[in-house]
Amino acid sequence: SNLPIPLETCVVFSGLCNDNSSAPAEKSENPSSFELPKAKFIRLKGQELYDDLVGKELVVKLVDPANENAEIGRTSISCLSLLHEQLEAGGELELKLTERYYKKWWPEAEEETADPKAKAKAKAKAKAAPEPQEVLEKKPERPPDFVPPVTKIIVKVVVDELVGPLEDRDDWTTLTIACGGVFALPERIVAGAAEDIEAHPFVYKAMLFGEDLGAGELVAAAEVKSPPAEQEDQPVPDAVEGDEGVEREAESNIVEESEAEWRENQERFAVSVKFGNSDELIRYRGSDFLSSFRHMLNYTGGVYMYFAIEEKLAADPKKPNLPEAAALAKHFSGRAWFDLRPLIRSGARNASSSCPLQGTAAPEDIMVDEMSLQESRTYVKLSLQLRFDAAKPPPAPVADLRSIVPPRISTNRFPASADAAAMYRDVVEAAFAAICRDCGANTRGTAGVIDQMKKMGSYDDLRERMRAAVIRVVRERVRKDVNAVPGQPLEGTARDELLSDTYAYLKDSAAQVIEELRKAAPAAAAGIPSTTSEGGGGLPSPYPQYASEVGAADAFPGVSDSVPAASRRESRPSTKEHYMSEMSPVAAADTESAQMGEVASEIGSPIGGIRGLDPTTILAHSPAANKARAAVDSAVEVVGRNARLAFEAELLGNWSRAAQLLHNRLLLDEVRSDPKEWIAYAKFCARARGRQAAAEEALRQAVRLIAEGAEAGVEATIEVDIMLACLLLDRGRYEEAIRALREMHEKDVTDPTLCFFLALALFLRGETPERSKALFAAVNKPREWFNGISTTSQIVDRFKSSPMLDAVPPYDLTQYVLCLEKLLDFGLPSMVFTFLDQADVVPAEELAREPLVLLDAKASALDRDYAAAVARLEQLTGAGAEPVPAAGDDGLSTRACAGNVPSGKASQDAWRLLGDCYFQLGDMDRALQALNQALAFERKFEEPDVFIRLGSVLIAKKRWKQAREAFLKSIQFMPTAEAWTGVAYAEYRGDEVQLSYEALCEATLLDKDRSDIWALLTLVHLRLDNAAQADNAFRQCLSLKADCEELLVEVAGDYVRGPGQHRQPSFAEAAARRAIQLRDSGMGRGALADALGAQKRFAEAIHQAELGMKLLVNSSEPRGLIFERALRWCEELGDKGLVESLYATQSRCNEEASSQSP
């Protein structure tokens, strides 16, 4: 389509097939219906066809038969894809017009530029011809900006099946070989050739990869070297015998050529040998060749190109060849080593080199008097290009690892028991309503309730209804019990388990009914106070204070104080109730709610005085119901839950998740309108590092809310202004910060905090030292000293007229410490470093004491420089340092009484921080020692994060029981998913699988979005022989983008080695691949190899095993186990090549391990 003018055309095919021309099509600008004599061409499958498909294209030409088949245009089609990829090639292609026919788009321009002789000939021909019967068409006129459309042609090549060999489908390539020529030929070979190339008596041959590079001929130099510029004759001093200076001067004038320059000159100015196929030789190669090629790369690293010389007949009989020509040809035959090792690297597909030629003549053919190829420095330029990487392509990455996991197998289901369950629930609801309706003021205890209901006539009917409902439930459970055999009695353990499970079900169902009754009528309608705090769910805000408030008795306002928390902690049972009765408020709530389902008198408070009230009102007044509601609310309420989870995420260093949780929290109306929430979020952003812009935006949002009248309090209003100014200082915007601080300071010049921050701002801006030092000194002045002072300038003037620190104790650091702690609270450690290291306010001996050393270490830890923090703290806790209890039991921190800390002794806070820093650095021994020192103080910690950190250290030390106790201690102060997960992990490692499962249930209630919980739950279910539950837990783990590499490797191992239905190799493969995505480890590769081997995918398994062995060079035992399993797979395959490769890998690993050992 889109020819310039109407033309009669033919299509001619060539290149990949013999020339095939169509019949002429009708004259048209868009010709069609080309009829070919043969619409198909047939070729035998074989190496020749494969080579042609990769090395040649199908050429399509459009010719003009009316003009002696002049070429109109051409295009070409690559049929490479027909080998292994698709059954059709081609389509709509652009037809590149020749220059002659392209000009026909502009007829007027064509006439102007036409040949005058051609014009005259055409004119004479027109006169001799008879007048045309029809009027000639008017030639189109083109506008100046005319752009011709693209001329296109539609051509398709279709095959019935893929052309390439089936065995090569996933492993093939193309070789593109090029030889740039042979250079620096020996002088005896090319003697006289420059004057007469045709008379050269030799022809050349070369072979590479078994391919003939074509006939080689001597060619003239590419360039003629220009003669050096003539220089004026200069007198040359006569050389005097023994004149060494002249000889040295002559030698210095000789410039030695580098190897690269010499080769460049040889290629430009000397004759060389070129081969017929030197431009490009493309060949197809399949899996057999690639297997040998990879072996060559691993063991030899290259191949030889063979170079041969033969004598040819003399072109002129009058000028015969040299008599020794045949001997010279044999003498100068040789070979060149082509180094292909660069192709080993991933992604490398090209190799090129200038390869020196070495003689290969037989001893009897060597001419002693002639130079060798090595002495002549003869070399050949070779290059090789592969279509794909030399290494076997790895399997395509799995986009979604859940696709590896087979779908859940549908099972035969029992008939539904919904009717029985509904019947029982209805009876429970009716019974509770009857109790509330019939019992009087003096009704107490179970016996009293029963007597009262008998008097009212409701007892017998309810008893029969309850009995019938319970019997029906029991029958349904017996019918579905897998241990029950029809026609045989259920005895022993099976009977006990059935009755126990049924009893638990009845109690849980009753508790659910009562909870639904409570929710049916709002508690507010009955005048019942709310059981949650303003933050919702009893979770205070901001969340750092959550640890000190949640878990106390007043966290649940409706709970009776008759059983104090301390007594519950002291009476810890040793059985599984160890978690469910005392440590877990959720489990305790379930138990107490279930007790209310049996009879109302077991609630613990009299029923008298509430006759006629709705059951929901009675439940609302119940302490147990209040506790249940508070426990559930604390787990599911969004505001408090996000705050708690953000606290946990920050504790674990997962700053991204903490930020997302807090950000989502700020989207809620009750949080978004509170300035304090924005201040807390700003502090978090500053602590998180790299989020200063978000912190500033949060502070400005708080300022806006306060300006609009939101309640925040005076302290919060001042704090947000100070923090915003400090943040501006930290970001280098000194003028804005100083303006704000000076405005605040002018309002109250006696405020030491404002004085300190203004002094720091002036110091950072580079003010004169007198001004900043005067303000720093004023920080410790009493209020009376400021009498008569109302501006900053007056403070500076007063210090100029009196000694700087006159009448001020030089070592009173209280105000400085408080201000620096505020900077740490703001999340700005760099400003703490500025004051301590540069301000030169505090004497050097004071900088080495506890308060400031501890602050410096805290700032380093906040800046993630744990090594620097340890270095500072070891000054306090080094040799001779002993734990010093804090003064009194008033709960004041050591920092508050820092001035009372004896020199050379470390405080509790110092030991605690040192333990945390050691943990971050991975030194678990010292971390455990430091944390134990901190816990040895008289003042006891009540922060859950201390015990979570201790538990994590003990887990790393594999002290399972001690770790469990540490995590449980943390749960006493605040239940967290991290602590419950730690308990579960410790119990699992201690072979207490049932207790681990119960702890994981608590963890999932608190945080169901942690993949490590679900991974550990998978392991627990596999140990408990719960195959279906394990599979479901693992699916959930994958859906959460699992980030627990160690647990995933263990899951993979358990799935591979599990018996019967627990053996799920596909699950193991998914777990191992996800673990490798997180961290490429030897154990992960080994687990993946086991998973693939279990699926009989031995070749892939052996490949993964070799990768795992390379990553376990220094771990001989696990590497040896992987080697043994891989060797068994090789034997099953019967592939000697893989066995050889496996032994070579093991040998290299042993050598590397030996070289690294001392």
Side-chain angles (χ1 to χ4, degrees):
S1 62
N2 297 329
L3 289 173
I5 58 174
L7 292 170
E8 183 181 4
T9 54
C10 291
V11 176
V12 180
F13 296 95
S14 61
L16 191 59
C17 65
N18 296 328
D19 287 358
N20 188 9
S21 178
S22 72
E26 294 182 0
K27 187 175 183 180
S28 172
E29 293 180 351
N30 301 296
S32 61
S33 302
F34 295 101
E35 294 183 3
L36 290 166
K38 292 183 180 180
K40 297 181 179 181
F41 65 93
I42 300 173
R43 292 192 57 177
L44 293 175
K45 279 188 176 183
Q47 186 64 43
E48 183 180 356
L49 173 60
Y50 306 150
D51 290 341
D52 285 350
L53 286 174
V54 300
K56 296 181 180 180
E57 293 186 338
L58 182 65
V59 179
V60 184
K61 292 191 295 184
L62 193 67
V63 298
D64 184 358
N67 195 10
E68 300 178 354
N69 287 332
E71 182 178 334
I72 300 173
R74 73 166 58 198
T75 186
S76 60
I77 302 172
S78 173
C79 297
L80 178 66
S81 60
L82 301 179
L83 280 167
H84 297 291
E85 297 171 6
Q86 56 192 33
L87 301 175
E88 182 179 299
E92 189 175 51
L93 309 172
E94 179 181 356
L95 190 73
K96 185 70 174 177
L97 297 179
T98 60
E99 183 180 1
R100 173 182 175 184
Y101 282 86
Y102 185 73
K103 289 180 179 180
K104 294 185 180 294
W105 284 108
W106 296 273
E108 62 281 359
E110 183 185 15
E111 291 179 358
E112 294 175 2
T113 58
D115 185 4
K117 293 182 178 180
K119 273 185 172 185
K121 187 176 180 181
K123 190 174 181 181
K125 188 175 181 180
K127 287 182 179 180
E131 294 184 1
Q133 300 295 325
E134 299 179 359
V135 179
L136 294 175
E137 295 181 3
K138 185 179 180 181
K139 295 183 179 180
E141 296 183 2
R142 310 295 188 190
D145 56 349
F146 172 69
V147 177
V150 177
T151 304
K152 296 182 179 181
I153 186 171
I154 299 176
V155 181
K156 292 183 180 180
V157 181
V158 182
V159 294
D160 296 331
E161 60 182 16
L162 294 176
V163 178
L166 181 62
E167 61 271 18
D168 299 343
R169 195 73 74 221
D170 298 322
D171 196 17
W172 64 280
T173 191
T174 61
L175 299 182
T176 303
I177 304 170
C179 179
V182 182
F183 303 95
L185 294 164
E187 185 63 29
R188 284 282 284 160
I189 292 289
V190 298
E195 291 77 13
D196 189 1
I197 293 292
E198 297 296 331
H200 186 62
F202 300 107
V203 292
Y204 304 88
K205 293 183 178 181
M207 297 283 290
L208 181 62
F209 287 111
E211 295 290 338
D212 187 356
L213 300 186
E217 296 181 353
L218 195 71
V219 296
E223 302 178 32
V224 178
K225 194 171 185 178
S226 57
E230 296 183 359
Q231 299 181 355
E232 296 180 2
D233 294 337
Q234 296 181 357
V236 180
D238 296 335
V240 181
E241 185 177 354
D243 192 347
E244 297 180 358
V246 175
E247 293 179 3
R248 283 197 300 270
E249 182 178 356
E251 291 176 0
S252 64
N253 291 331
I254 299 175
V255 179
E256 188 173 341
E257 265 185 326
S258 66
E259 182 70 15
E261 292 174 339
W262 177 80
R263 287 188 173 179
E264 181 184 1
N265 289 333
Q266 290 294 323
E267 294 167 17
R268 292 173 59 190
F269 307 122
V271 294
S272 59
V273 173
K274 300 290 184 180
F275 295 94
N277 296 327
S278 59
D279 291 339
E280 194 173 82
L281 184 67
I282 303 177
R283 293 291 183 262
Y284 170 88
R285 291 295 183 265
S287 57
D288 290 342
F289 171 84
L290 284 174
S291 178
S292 302
F293 189 83
R294 292 173 187 132
H295 186 275
M296 174 270 297
L297 288 180
N298 286 328
Y299 292 95
T300 59
V303 295
Y304 281 109
M305 187 213 77
Y306 291 91
F307 177 69
I309 305 177
E310 295 181 359
E311 183 185 8
K312 70 177 181 180
L313 295 175
D316 187 355
K318 297 181 180 180
K319 295 181 180 180
N321 297 335
L322 295 174
E324 63 272 17
L328 288 173
K330 294 180 180 180
H331 174 75
F332 287 114
S333 295
R335 65 183 181 180
W337 177 254
F338 189 10
D339 188 357
L340 298 175
R341 287 176 296 177
L343 297 176
I344 296 177
R345 294 193 302 270
S346 177
R349 300 178 183 177
N350 296 280
S352 58
S353 178
S354 296
C355 310
L357 276 165
Q358 302 174 351
T360 57
E364 62 272 15
D365 294 331
I366 296 177
M367 302 175 69
V368 180
D369 297 335
E370 296 292 341
M371 294 180 64
S372 65
L373 291 172
Q374 296 94 313
E375 292 171 335
S376 302
R377 299 165 67 183
T378 307
Y379 67 93
V380 58
K381 294 186 69 175
L382 297 173
S383 67
L384 175 68
Q385 181 178 351
L386 303 178
R387 183 173 183 82
F388 306 109
D389 288 358
K392 190 171 184 178
V398 182
D400 186 0
L401 292 176
R402 288 175 292 179
S403 62
I404 299 177
V405 178
R408 188 178 304 169
I409 301 174
S410 58
T411 57
N412 295 328
R413 296 181 178 272
F414 287 104
S417 303
D419 292 342
M423 178 180 177
Y424 173 71
R425 293 170 65 90
D426 291 343
V427 173
V428 170
E429 184 175 349
F432 195 80
I435 292 172
C436 298
R437 181 185 67 246
D438 297 343
C439 293
N442 298 323
T443 304
R444 293 182 179 277
T446 304
V449 171
I450 293 175
D451 291 341
Q452 181 65 25
M453 294 181 68
K454 286 182 178 180
K455 292 178 183 179
M456 300 300 295
S458 58
Y459 176 74
D460 293 336
D461 178 60
L462 284 173
R463 184 186 65 180
E464 291 301 322
R465 290 177 60 189
M466 181 66 74
R467 182 174 182 275
V470 170
I471 289 175
R472 187 171 178 184
V473 169
V474 172
R475 284 177 175 170
E476 287 290 327
R477 297 185 71 85
V478 170
R479 186 161 61 90
K480 297 181 179 180
D481 195 321
V482 295
N483 295 319
V485 179
Q488 297 181 10
L490 195 64
E491 297 176 346
T493 305
R495 178 179 180 275
D496 294 340
E497 289 181 355
L498 174 66
L499 294 177
S500 176
D501 292 344
T502 305
Y503 178 70
Y505 167 75
L506 293 173
K507 291 186 69 175
D508 290 343
S509 298
Q512 293 175 8
V513 171
I514 296 171
E515 180 64 16
E516 291 173 2
L517 288 173
R518 182 189 67 80
K519 293 180 178 179
I528 301 169
S530 173
T531 60
T532 58
S533 64
E534 291 182 359
L539 303 178
S541 176
Y543 69 80
Q545 284 73 40
Y546 175 76
S548 62
E549 297 182 22
V550 174
D554 58 352
F556 307 108
V559 178
S560 173
D561 295 329
S562 60
V563 183
S567 65
R568 295 198 302 273
R569 296 168 194 158
E570 294 169 0
S571 59
R572 180 181 306 144
S574 58
T575 61
K576 65 181 180 181
E577 287 79 9
H578 172 71
Y579 307 119
M580 306 309 293
S581 62
E582 66 175 49
M583 296 302 171
S584 168
V586 177
D590 290 342
T591 303
E592 292 168 6
S593 298
Q595 290 171 352
M596 291 188 294
E598 296 182 67
V599 66
S601 60
E602 293 183 11
I603 294 175
S605 60
I607 303 179
I610 57 174
R611 171 183 280 187
L613 288 180
D614 186 85
T616 57
T617 305
I618 298 175
L619 287 176
H621 281 292
S622 164
N626 284 335
K627 185 172 183 180
R629 183 165 56 255
V632 174
D633 285 347
S634 66
V636 302
E637 195 273 329
V638 176
V639 176
R641 179 180 182 274
N642 281 15
R644 174 177 52 79
L645 293 180
F647 166 74
E648 292 187 46
E650 182 174 349
L651 177 64
L652 299 176
N654 192 346
W655 297 96
S656 298
R657 189 186 184 208
Q660 182 181 5
L661 289 165
L662 292 177
H663 185 269
N664 292 342
R665 193 167 177 268
L666 288 170
L667 297 176
L668 303 174
D669 293 336
E670 61 267 34
V671 178
R672 185 170 60 241
S673 58
D674 187 353
K676 293 181 181 179
E677 295 287 349
W678 289 101
I679 296 173
Y681 182 65
K683 291 179 180 179
F684 164 80
C685 290
R687 289 195 304 273
R689 321 303 298 154
R691 300 176 185 266
Q692 270 68 15
E696 181 182 346
E697 185 63 28
L699 290 174
R700 295 196 182 279
Q701 182 71 7
V703 171
R704 184 185 64 79
L705 290 173
I706 293 173
E708 292 176 355
E711 295 183 6
V714 178
E715 292 184 1
T717 303
I718 297 175
E719 183 183 39
V720 67
D721 291 335
I722 294 177
M723 183 177 177
L724 181 57
C726 291
L727 192 61
L728 293 173
L729 283 176
D730 188 62
R731 305 189 71 190
R733 291 151 64 179
Y734 302 127
E735 297 301 329
E736 295 179 60
I738 291 174
R739 190 182 311 115
L741 288 170
R742 181 173 282 127
E743 182 179 346
M744 289 186 286
H745 185 251
E746 296 290 346
K747 295 178 181 178
D748 185 5
V749 294
T750 64
D751 190 326
T753 303
L754 294 173
C755 192
F756 176 87
F757 287 120
L758 180 58
L760 188 60
L762 294 174
F763 175 79
L764 287 170
R765 193 179 64 173
E767 290 278 344
T768 56
E770 292 78 9
R771 292 179 63 83
S772 59
K773 285 191 175 183
L775 290 173
F776 276 131
V779 170
N780 284 323
K781 295 294 183 181
R783 285 187 173 272
E784 296 77 15
W785 186 86
F786 293 93
N787 291 336
I789 295 178
S790 59
T791 64
T792 304
S793 300
Q794 291 176 350
I795 295 176
V796 178
D797 293 340
R798 175 164 293 188
F799 273 105
K800 285 182 180 179
S801 60
S802 61
M804 201 62 152
L805 298 176
D806 189 22
V808 178
Y811 305 115
D812 185 5
L813 305 177
T814 304
Q815 293 298 332
Y816 293 135
V817 170
L818 292 175
C819 292
L820 292 175
E821 284 185 335
K822 189 173 285 293
L823 282 174
L824 292 178
D825 182 46
F826 292 161
L828 303 173
S830 59
M831 298 183 68
V832 175
F833 297 144
T834 299
F835 176 80
L836 295 177
D837 300 338
Q838 302 177 26
D840 196 21
V841 174
V842 181
E845 58 272 14
E846 290 301 313
L847 290 174
R849 293 186 61 201
E850 162 83 6
L852 296 183
V853 171
L854 184 57
L855 284 170
D856 192 2
K858 286 183 177 181
S860 297
L862 187 60
D863 202 34
R864 318 281 196 276
D865 190 356
Y866 300 108
V870 166
R872 291 292 282 156
L873 289 169
E874 284 179 345
Q875 300 175 13
L876 302 174
T877 61
E882 298 177 359
V884 179
D889 294 329
D890 54 358
L892 294 177
S893 67
T894 308
R895 296 191 299 273
C897 51
N900 299 324
V901 177
S903 176
K905 296 187 177 181
S907 66
Q908 187 181 34
D909 276 358
W911 284 106
R912 172 186 171 178
L913 181 59
L914 182 61
D916 190 69
C917 292
Y918 277 136
F919 174 82
Q920 298 291 350
L921 293 173
D923 192 342
M924 299 304 169
D925 292 328
R926 294 186 179 181
L928 180 59
Q929 180 183 2
L931 290 173
N932 283 334
Q933 288 278 21
L935 291 170
F937 279 70
E938 182 179 354
R939 183 178 71 88
K940 302 303 179 185
F941 288 112
E942 295 185 359
E943 295 87 352
D945 53 319
V946 178
F947 298 99
I948 289 177
R949 185 67 78 215
L950 177 62
S952 300
V953 172
L954 291 168
I955 287 288
K957 296 288 293 177
K958 298 184 179 180
R959 300 183 183 180
W960 312 124
K961 292 184 179 180
Q962 297 177 28
R964 178 198 63 190
E965 295 302 320
F967 285 121
L968 289 174
K969 189 73 172 177
S970 168
I971 293 171
Q972 289 182 2
F973 301 108
M974 181 179 72
T976 59
E978 175 64 19
W980 278 116
T981 305
V983 170
Y985 188 84
E987 295 289 23
Y988 179 78
R989 295 303 181 196
D991 291 331
E992 295 290 344
V993 184
Q994 184 62 40
L995 296 180
S996 176
Y997 170 71
E998 294 171 2
L1000 285 172
C1001 291
E1002 296 294 328
T1004 53
L1005 177 63
L1006 294 171
D1007 187 0
K1008 65 180 186 301
D1009 296 327
R1010 282 183 50 165
S1011 61
D1012 57 334
I1013 296 177
W1014 293 102
L1016 186 56
L1017 192 58
T1018 303
L1019 292 171
V1020 168
H1021 278 308
L1022 288 174
R1023 291 279 292 274
L1024 292 174
D1025 294 333
N1026 299 329
Q1029 292 90 329
D1031 296 348
N1032 292 337
F1034 181 65
R1035 288 188 181 94
Q1036 182 68 14
C1037 177
L1038 286 183
S1039 67
L1040 295 173
K1041 297 181 180 178
D1043 57 357
C1044 43
E1045 179 258 344
E1046 180 184 350
L1047 289 176
L1048 287 171
V1049 171
E1050 192 168 353
V1051 167
D1054 282 10
Y1055 267 127
V1056 168
R1057 293 184 289 272
Q1061 60 181 338
H1062 301 309
R1063 193 169 186 267
Q1064 295 276 16
S1066 58
F1067 283 69
E1069 180 186 354
R1073 289 191 185 279
R1074 180 56 185 166
I1076 292 171
Q1077 289 176 3
L1078 297 171
R1079 184 173 71 91
D1080 195 359
S1081 65
M1083 299 305 295
R1085 292 287 181 180
L1088 180 56
D1090 290 339
L1092 295 171
Q1095 300 176 63
K1096 307 298 182 183
R1097 295 155 62 183
F1098 295 128
E1100 297 177 57
I1102 295 167
H1103 174 67
Q1104 294 297 331
E1106 289 182 338
L1107 294 177
M1109 292 166 61
K1110 293 175 183 178
L1111 293 172
L1112 292 170
V1113 170
N1114 297 320
S1115 302
S1116 58
E1117 184 175 351
R1119 173 161 52 83
L1121 295 175
I1122 294 175
F1123 172 74
E1124 291 175 3
R1125 293 196 295 270
L1127 199 57
R1128 289 198 300 270
W1129 298 328
C1130 289
E1131 293 173 355
E1132 291 194 39
L1133 274 180
D1135 191 328
K1136 295 182 179 179
L1138 287 177
V1139 174
E1140 184 181 353
S1141 175
L1142 190 63
Y1143 272 107
T1145 301
Q1146 177 74 335
S1147 177
R1148 285 196 296 269
C1149 291
N1150 290 334
E1151 292 175 1
E1152 188 174 348
S1154 301
S1155 64
Q1156 293 179 4
S1157 61

